[in-house]
Structures are given as C-alpha cells and as structure tokens.
Amino acid sequence: MKIENAVVLITGANRGIGLAFARELLARGARKVYAGARDPASITPQAGVQALRLDVNHPGEVAAAAALAQDVTLVINNAGIAQPGGFLAPDSEEVSRRIFETNFFGVLRVSQAFAPILAANGGGALLNVLSVASWVNGGELAAYSASKSAAWSLTNALRNELAGHKTQVLGLHMAYVDTDLTRGFEVPKTSPEQIVKRALNGLESGLDEVLADELTQHVKIGLTAPRPSYLPQAA
C-alpha cells in the first residue's frame, strides 16, 4: 500500500519504534496518525498525530479505539513487553501469561477489531512488529521469544484470512533495536529510525515480510541449514 494520505493506528506509539513509526509516516505524507498508548499524555505532540488511550490488554479500550478511528487504512501492532528469564524460573508461568497477554492476545484483539474497518476502507494493511526471536529462543528471554513465535504464526494466519479483504499483512522481524526494551543488553543495535524506514519501504513495495537487519537475515537463512539456527550452535 501507499503511505501518502494513509490514516494509521499505531499501538505503543509513545516511544521507541512506535514513535519512530509516527514520525516517518508523517514525513512520507500520511494524513493522520492515531497514536495509541496506555497514557495519552505520554504521546509526543506533533501535527497530524491524535493521541488515543489504548491499552491492548483491555478489550473495552480496543473497542473504543475502533469505534473512534473508523477512517484507518493501516494498523501497526507495535505494543510489546519483555522480561529476562527462562522457563525454569519459579515465576515463569506468571511472566509468560503477562507477556502473552500483550504480545499475542493484544495483537489478536486489535487485528480483530480493525479488520472490518480496513476492509470497509478498501483493504489497507496490517503491520505486525515481530522479532528474530520468532525463530530462535536461547532462554534469556524465553517467554518473550515464545510470544513472538505465536505472534508470527498469528500473522501468517491473518495474511490468509484477510486476503479476501484485500488487506496486506506484513510481518516485521528484527534483532536488537536501540530502545528501552533492550537497555542493558551490550550488543550491536539498530536505530528505530532505520528499522522503520525498512519496514515502510517493504510495505510500499507490497512485501509480506521484512527482515530489517543482517542478523535477522542470517538467522532466517539458517532455519534450513544442516544445523538449523534455532538449535545451539558450536562454539
């Protein structure tokens, strides 16, 4: 789809990748951006942006956002959370439920609510922010990785279900991005601005999937290697 004159809803738009999406979309000619966040006061004021109270964990807020934003042509499911830890940690079940609530069920709620709106407005597009962790899980962010695997599967299913609506569904995969989510990780990181530019270039090119950095591209290729990239690699 084309960004120019688009009306966009972004979840988790108050910082990081969400904020970078809002800025880049407006720079490319989007007509309006609904910037969703738990606290609308946390949204950076800028022309063309309408702050919207939207906690993806609250069905009532999702329904209210859909009732208000009937002109949306692009939905970006960006809201996500993470917590370090493995599945053998004492609190792993509690942590997993909390992370899945946002990273999987939140995406599902928003997609369900806005699919009819996108269809009514000509199809438009749905962009889900995923991760290289959709394919590999080293245990350091076990629940987060599992939630992104589930969100990837959800994205693939929605692509098929929404084909009849003429809705483009794009999965955005990337490794470490320089945001609050990766603070404390001493690893190479890509800027949110770079990730967003690559994502929107892919969207406008009609792609189904964007692998936004070299590590992600390497891991995806490695899924079919003799020793697949999701298995422990030799030192």
Side-chain angles (χ1 to χ4, degrees):
M1 71 168 288
K2 296 300 181 186
I3 300 302
E4 187 174 5
N5 208 40
V7 178
V8 189
L9 172 85
I10 307 170
T11 67
N14 56 322
R15 59 185 180 178
I17 294 174
L19 177 57
F21 263 120
R23 289 173 171 164
E24 183 65 18
L25 285 161
L26 292 171
R28 295 190 185 209
R31 177 157 49 94
K32 183 195 301 183
V33 172
Y34 292 102
R38 288 189 179 99
D39 178 11
S42 66
I43 297 295
T44 302
Q46 53 186 316
V49 172
Q50 180 174 335
L52 191 65
R53 183 178 300 279
L54 179 54
D55 184 340
V56 300
N57 294 339
H58 292 176
E61 291 190 10
V62 174
L68 173 68
Q70 289 285 309
D71 50 349
V72 164
T73 59
L74 168 62
V75 172
I76 299 178
N77 280 309
N78 169 70
I81 59 173
Q83 181 173 325
F87 284 129
L88 298 183
D91 62 347
S92 69
E93 182 175 344
E94 176 188 345
V95 169
S96 297
R97 289 182 186 280
R98 182 171 60 84
I99 290 176
F100 265 77
E101 188 65 28
T102 296
N103 295 3
F104 177 80
F105 290 107
V107 175
L108 176 58
R109 285 188 196 97
V110 172
S111 300
Q112 284 182 317
F114 280 89
I117 296 171
L118 293 174
N121 292 330
L126 184 69
L127 192 163
N128 290 342
V129 177
L130 304 172
S131 172
V132 69
S134 303
W135 306 314
V136 292
N137 192 341
E140 301 89 353
L141 292 164
Y144 172 81
S145 296
S147 74
K148 289 299 185 179
S149 294
W152 178 44
S153 183
L154 170 61
T155 300
N156 293 335
L158 289 172
R159 187 176 296 112
N160 288 292
E161 290 190 54
L162 294 176
H165 295 186
K166 298 182 179 179
T167 297
Q168 179 185 355
V169 177
L170 186 148
L172 170 62
H173 297 266
M174 65 277 190
Y176 293 99
V177 184
D178 192 9
T179 66
D180 291 344
L181 200 65
T182 63
R183 185 179 297 159
F185 287 86
E186 297 300 326
V187 294
K189 301 174 186 177
T190 307
S191 73
E193 291 75 19
Q194 287 179 293
I195 296 296
V196 163
K197 287 179 187 295
R198 291 165 186 168
L200 295 181
N201 288 344
L203 184 72
E204 291 200 290
S205 297
L207 299 184
D208 296 319
E209 189 171 72
V210 168
L211 312 181
D213 53 45
E214 289 186 11
L215 177 57
T216 301
Q217 295 163 16
H218 177 75
V219 169
K220 182 67 181 295
I221 291 171
L223 293 178
T224 57
R227 179 72 178 177
S229 52
Y230 54 82
L231 296 178
Q233 301 299 303

